[in-house]
Amino acid sequence: MRQTDVAVIGGGPAGCLAALTAAGRGLHVTLVEKNARIGRKLGITGKGRCNLTNCCEVSEAVQNIPHNGRFLFSALQAFPPRAVMEYFEALGVPLKVERGARVFPVSDRASDVVAALDRALRSAGCRRVRGAVERVERRPEGGFSLFCGEETLAARAVALATGGASYPGTGSTGDGYRLARALGHTVTPLRPSLVPLEIEGGECGELQGLSLRNTGLSLWLAGKNKPVYTDFGEMLFTHFGVSGPMVLSASAHMSRPPQEYTIALDLKPALSPEKLEQRLLRELEAASNKNFINLLPALLPQKLGPVVARRSKIPLERKCNAVTREERRRLAALLKDFRLRVSAFRPMEEAIVTAGGVSVREIQPKTMESKLVPGLYFAGELIDVDAYTGGFNLQIALCTGYAAGRAALKEEETA
């Protein structure tokens, strides 16, 4: 049985930071990763560009973590976004800040971030074991035994950083939840987050491939008189429903069954209802002798026009000068409030992150150490925290990995 000071399970960003932070003070660290290379999921984030963090203050980062954000306050203060940026630039990855304070490598290559972490791990002398951890057991004399196929490790401290259950092709297959439960921890219900949404009916199939920009979006929960979430930006219609940045962010707010939610699109956000009705009146008067179908290209993208017209119940062959006031107002209302009823989340395999996980009530917020099992630490997506798009989820992985690695080190020093 090989001995190690700290065993880190999972070679994603959280696991790498935990390993590097612990190794930085001279501890012997073993990183266990089932893939041949570290950072498989990291290498495809941000469409292959790697939105590493968000260049914002800690208070703003907490505001962008809708579920258990306050739990992360100490970890974010200890390793805030600017510290993350300095860390990776010191590893040889020049960074840039783009719209929305999103931080990317100057090269626009996620592979550069993965390569930098790989070099750092080698330089720090972290031993690596390739394999899946079948189980983790507490040793009577203290510490843990890790069973990884043909190899067994003895470790004084263990950091679980296996990722969630999204993108299972990258190795995130939910192993950490099983290991955490076996060690006595509670795992809250899992659901996909930052995920496309399926929409009732067949209209989205007609609109497949249509991308909308400068569109308003609000998410409504049945029975509520104000939206759960509002946004402005880009979205995409697909064969099953909707996707794109606004939709992914909206999904992070959906803590109830998806069927209880409706999306409302403002297709003319620059115009007030009064201004829009005036514009429609002008357009109808200018095209008074033309059929209504001929007016649609001036108002909407080609694919969307017929769908809106059908909902408005204005016959396409109706002359514009014959459109009634009631029909005009119905059309204006549709343009400001185009409703889509959500029927389901897309599968977990298509989600960017997993919502739910190891209960934060059982984890020390400053150290990420288990309150139930001394010497056991958690980091990253495995924990019951998740954030919006914009680099916040990677920031969570990095700061919790840093906290776990730093705390495991302190335990070794005082043991």
Side-chain angles (χ1 to χ4, degrees), residues 25-235:
R25 299 286 182 87
L27 285 179
H28 185 274
V29 177
T30 300
L31 179 65
V32 184
E33 166 57 47
K34 64 169 64 174
N35 292 316
R37 299 187 301 276
I38 63 164
R40 281 283 302 278
K41 186 174 177 182
L42 183 62
I44 63 173
T45 59
K47 297 181 180 178
R49 297 177 61 217
C50 190
N51 184 184
L52 194 57
T53 186
N54 191 283
C55 186
C56 67
E57 299 301 320
V58 167
S59 58
E60 187 177 346
V62 170
Q63 290 170 7
N64 280 275
I65 304 170
H67 190 59
N68 292 326
R70 294 296 302 175
F71 167 79
L72 292 168
F73 190 80
S74 295
L76 285 164
Q77 277 194 315
F79 199 51
R82 291 194 180 277
V84 168
M85 294 172 69
E86 291 170 4
Y87 187 91
F88 280 91
E89 293 205 315
L91 291 184
V93 184
L95 302 174
K96 60 182 176 179
V97 180
E98 296 188 357
R99 179 179 58 85
R102 290 168 165 84
V103 178
F104 293 91
V106 170
S107 66
D108 284 330
R109 291 195 300 265
S111 58
D112 289 352
V113 177
V114 176
L117 288 171
D118 187 60
R119 289 193 302 270
L121 288 166
R122 294 179 190 280
S123 178
C126 294
R127 179 173 176 263
R128 297 195 212 178
V129 172
R130 184 184 178 188
V133 176
E134 297 163 5
R135 67 185 191 278
V136 177
E137 295 180 357
R138 299 174 71 177
R139 296 166 64 86
E141 65 273 26
F144 303 85
S145 295
L146 287 74
F147 298 87
C148 321
E150 297 180 359
E151 182 158 358
T152 303
L153 293 171
R156 179 169 176 79
V158 170
L160 279 179
T162 55
S166 58
Y167 287 117
T170 65
S172 296
T173 53
D175 297 347
Y177 305 122
R178 173 180 54 80
L179 296 173
R181 286 192 186 99
L183 289 164
H185 273 273
T186 303
V187 176
T188 64
L190 306 179
R191 65 174 177 83
S193 185
L194 300 183
V195 66
L197 300 173
E198 297 183 8
I199 300 297
E200 284 186 4
E203 288 181 338
C204 289
E206 294 179 53
L207 301 171
Q208 181 178 352
L210 174 63
S211 178
L212 297 181
R213 296 170 180 259
N214 303 320
T215 299
L217 178 147
S218 56
L219 179 70
W220 295 81
L221 176 62
K224 300 296 182 181
N225 57 10
K226 64 179 182 179
V228 174
Y229 175 71
T230 59
D231 203 349
F232 176 84
E234 302 176 17
M235 62 168 290

Side-chain angles (χ1 to χ4, degrees), residues 277-340:
E277 193 161 347
Q278 291 171 14
R279 180 186 166 184
L280 288 177
L281 190 57
R282 289 196 306 271
E283 296 278 4
L284 288 164
E285 288 176 349
S288 60
N289 292 319
K290 294 181 179 179
N291 293 341
F292 177 61
I293 190 173
N294 294 50
L295 178 68
L296 295 176
L299 298 174
L300 294 163
Q302 182 178 357
K303 284 187 176 182
L304 190 55
V307 174
V308 171
R310 187 167 60 242
R311 285 201 191 184
S312 74
K313 299 180 181 178
I314 303 174
L316 294 177
E317 304 307 317
R318 173 81 56 85
K319 295 296 183 184
C320 287
N321 58 15
V323 173
T324 67
R325 176 189 296 181
E326 181 184 344
E327 289 171 334
R328 186 180 74 240
R329 290 182 174 174
R330 195 159 61 231
L331 175 60
L334 271 171
L335 294 175
K336 295 295 290 182
D337 189 7
F338 186 81
R339 296 264 167 161
L340 300 166

Side-chain angles (χ1 to χ4, degrees), residues 245-261:
M246 289 197 300
V247 172
L248 298 182
S249 292
S251 73
H253 292 264
M254 297 171 63
S255 57
R256 303 281 290 274
Q259 298 86 351
E260 297 185 29
Y261 292 90

Side-chain angles (χ1 to χ4, degrees), residues 239-277:
H239 68 284
F240 57 77
V242 288
S243 186
M246 289 197 300
V247 172
L248 298 182
S249 292
S251 73
H253 292 264
M254 297 171 63
S255 57
R256 303 281 290 274
Q259 298 86 351
E260 297 185 29
Y261 292 90
T262 300
I263 288 173
L265 300 180
D266 184 348
L267 301 172
K268 298 294 179 184
L271 298 175
S272 67
E274 296 76 20
K275 293 285 187 184
L276 177 59
E277 193 161 347

